[in-house]
């Protein structure tokens, strides 16, 4: 059974026709802002990859990819769950110079997702990756990049409001930075989600850093695969959602692992068996460029800026009978 929340007296501010045109505007404006601010260029991306290479993102390590055998190719295909690893290979293959990078439209299927207001089995995001100097592997460079992405979101929101004055959401450009350990220390006894809600209630735009590493309590704030982000140099961009009155993750990102960080995190996560995979061998031998990258949810961003209460209002997916019935009863249109 899905867990959904429909605020009292909720109504989508735009008509169905306006909604589709507004989604197009968000995509156009945000992509333009992102390419300029981060010096990125668009590339084409795969819908599926070879499942035997270790390129597919395993997210928290437990989600099962949608897999299928391709007889004529003699390979096992996997529909991507994200492009975190593929993008870093693409930086090398497409010969992106230092200070430049790529972005792409990523379409994924996450079959084990628990669907609710924010989550769907269909995931669409702008996946991006940038070639950086090893000297930029520090917290300041990470923070500067976060501020640029938040600037992209705010500029897009301004353009959207100019076109559709009925919309009121104004994201806060001022980013509050805090680590997962600092957050646990500040709100002891609360769950990870409760801590995120509390900090976003106080500071409307938050970058929560160091996700994946163990906290003093012995728990992890959230899971993060050991072979793409450096757990000391990553985080999530969270914004306060005034419709749902909760924290709202817009982006997961970070400076990627170098050989030292990968070696450490594979052992800590109990994933030493991955060392023999082609992608991991390249990383451990220093063959891939140093990079920073992440994913920015397309439907997530549309949902936030368009003041929607359910992600199904801005993307077409599959929903369980209880979700469909609850939305119909509340007058919420699922695409």
């Amino acid at each position: 059974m899905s867990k959904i929340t429909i605020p009292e007296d909720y109504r989508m501010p735009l008509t169905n026709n306006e909604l589709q045109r507004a989604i197009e505007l968000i995509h156009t404006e945000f992509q333009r802002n992102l390419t300029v601010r981060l010096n990125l260029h668009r590339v084409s991306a795969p819908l599926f990859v070879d499942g035997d290479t270790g390129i597919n993102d395993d997210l928290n390590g437990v989600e099962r990819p949608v897999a299928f055998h391709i007889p004529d190719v003699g390979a096992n295909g996997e529909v991507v769950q994200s492009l975190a690893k593929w993008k870093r290979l693409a930086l090398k293959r497409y010969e992106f110079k230092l200070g430049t990078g790529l972005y792409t439209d990523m379409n994924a299927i996450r079959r084990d997702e628990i669907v609710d207001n924010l989550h769907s089995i269909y995931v669409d995001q702008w996946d991006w990756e940038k070639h950086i100097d090893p000297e930029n592997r520090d917290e300041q460079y990470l923070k500067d990049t976060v501020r640029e992405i938040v600037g992209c979101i705010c500029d897009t929101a301004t353009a959207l409001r100019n076109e559709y004055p009925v919309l009121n959401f104004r994201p806060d450009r001022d980013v509050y930075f805090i680590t997962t350990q600092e957050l646990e220390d500040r709100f002891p006894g609360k769950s990870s989600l409760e801590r995120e809600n509390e900090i976003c209630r106080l500071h409307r735009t938050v970058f929560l850093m160091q996700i994946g590493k163990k906290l003093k309590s012995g728990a992890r704030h959230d899971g993060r695969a050991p072979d793409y982000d450096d757990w000391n140099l990553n985080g999530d961009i969270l914004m306060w959602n005034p419709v749902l009155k909760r924290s709202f993750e817009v982006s997961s990102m970070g400076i990627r692992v170098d050989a030292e960080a990968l070696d450490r995190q594979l052992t800590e996560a109990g994933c030493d068996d991955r060392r023999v995979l082609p992608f991991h061998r390249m990383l451990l031998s220093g063959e891939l460029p140093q990079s920073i990258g992440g994913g920015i949810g397309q439907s997530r961003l549309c949902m936030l800026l368009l003041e929607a209460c359910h992600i199904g209002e801005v993307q077409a997916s599959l929903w369980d009978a209880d979700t469909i019935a609850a939305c119909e009863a509340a007058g919420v249109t699922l695409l």
Side-chain angles (χ1 to χ4, degrees):
M1 180 181 295
S2 297
K3 303 178 180 65
I4 68 169
T5 300
I6 300 175
E8 187 176 358
D9 299 325
Y10 168 77
R11 287 294 181 271
M12 159 59 66
L14 303 180
T15 67
N16 288 337
N17 186 269
E18 288 174 331
L19 180 68
Q20 294 305 311
R21 289 187 285 120
I23 291 173
E24 181 182 8
L25 187 152
I26 291 171
H27 279 239
T28 301
E29 285 292 322
F30 185 79
Q31 288 175 181
R32 182 180 61 81
N33 291 327
L34 190 67
T35 56
V36 172
R37 284 180 175 266
L38 295 188
N39 197 17
L40 306 178
H41 305 282
R42 190 186 184 282
V43 301
S44 297
L47 177 61
F48 48 87
V49 294
D50 187 337
D52 298 325
T53 61
I55 293 176
N56 203 0
D57 183 3
D58 65 348
L59 304 176
N60 295 315
V62 297
E63 293 88 348
R64 301 169 299 160
V66 175
F68 56 97
H69 183 62
I70 312 172
D72 192 49
V73 178
N76 296 310
E78 287 184 359
V79 177
V80 297
Q81 298 195 106
S82 92
L83 296 171
K85 300 169 189 172
W86 178 89
K87 293 178 298 179
R88 194 163 178 184
L89 283 171
L91 282 183
K92 177 181 175 67
R93 289 172 177 167
Y94 301 163
E95 300 177 338
F96 277 89
K97 295 180 180 180
L98 196 66
T100 68
L102 61 88
Y103 82 93
T104 189
D105 292 292
M106 191 282 299
N107 296 284
I109 298 175
R110 298 180 181 173
R111 60 187 290 184
D112 291 324
E113 194 72 78
I114 304 300
V115 299
D116 56 21
N117 288 66
L118 278 61
H119 298 89
S120 167
I121 63 168
Y122 169 62
V123 179
D124 55 344
Q125 63 185 31
W126 291 285
D127 254 328
W128 65 275
E129 198 81 10
K130 185 175 181 179
H131 186 180
I132 65 172
D133 192 295
E135 293 182 357
N136 292 138
R137 288 182 51 79
D138 59 35
E139 192 173 287
Q140 187 58 53
Y141 188 85
L142 176 65
K143 289 180 176 180
D144 290 343
T145 305
V146 168
R147 292 189 180 98
E148 293 291 356
I149 294 173
V150 170
C152 293
I153 294 172
C154 294
D155 291 346
T156 301
T158 298
L160 186 66
R161 291 196 308 274
N162 288 339
E163 187 70 21
Y164 300 98
V166 69
L167 298 173
N168 297 307
F169 180 68
R170 286 175 166 77
D172 195 334
R173 290 180 184 268
D174 186 20
V175 185
Y176 183 78
F177 295 91
I178 188 170
T179 68
T180 51
Q181 186 57 64
E182 290 169 339
L183 190 63
E184 183 183 62
D185 293 342
R186 190 162 175 180
F187 300 107
K190 292 185 179 293
S191 69
S192 296
L193 179 57
E194 289 171 339
R195 293 196 290 269
E196 290 182 6
N197 286 339
E198 291 297 331
I199 201 64
C200 282
R201 200 188 315 273
L202 295 171
H203 306 278
R204 297 314 219 204
T205 300
V206 174
F207 187 63
L208 181 58
M209 300 185 291
Q210 300 183 3
I211 296 175
K213 62 191 301 183
K214 282 189 177 182
L215 305 175
K216 293 176 184 176
S217 63
R220 301 179 194 272
H221 180 85
D222 198 1
R224 192 64 56 92
D227 43 15
Y228 55 100
D229 286 349
D230 185 326
W231 292 343
N232 292 312
L233 294 168
N234 71 354
D236 289 345
I237 298 176
L238 309 173
M239 290 186 170
W240 179 254
N241 186 316
V243 174
L244 296 176
K245 294 181 172 54
R246 54 159 293 169
S247 66
F248 191 87
E249 181 187 328
V250 177
S251 174
S252 173
M253 58 174 288
I255 291 175
R256 305 311 197 187
V257 290
D258 57 9
E260 180 183 356
L262 178 62
D263 179 61
R264 179 181 68 251
Q265 291 179 185
L266 285 177
T267 299
E268 183 177 337
C271 297
D272 284 320
D273 57 315
R274 299 185 190 181
R275 296 174 184 271
V276 300
L277 296 172
F279 174 81
H280 299 74
R281 289 204 309 268
M282 292 179 72
L283 262 178
L284 290 169
S285 62
E287 297 178 41
L288 296 180
Q290 297 298 308
S291 67
I292 183 172
I296 302 160
Q298 294 181 0
S299 291
R300 283 284 184 95
L301 184 61
C302 289
M303 182 182 171
L304 184 65
L305 299 188
L306 295 171
E307 301 167 27
C309 81
H310 195 284
I311 198 167
E313 294 177 274
V314 297
Q315 66 153 240
S317 185
L318 293 179
W319 309 99
D320 60 279
D322 291 327
T323 293
I324 294 171
C327 287
E328 285 182 350
V332 175
T333 300
L334 298 178
L335 299 183

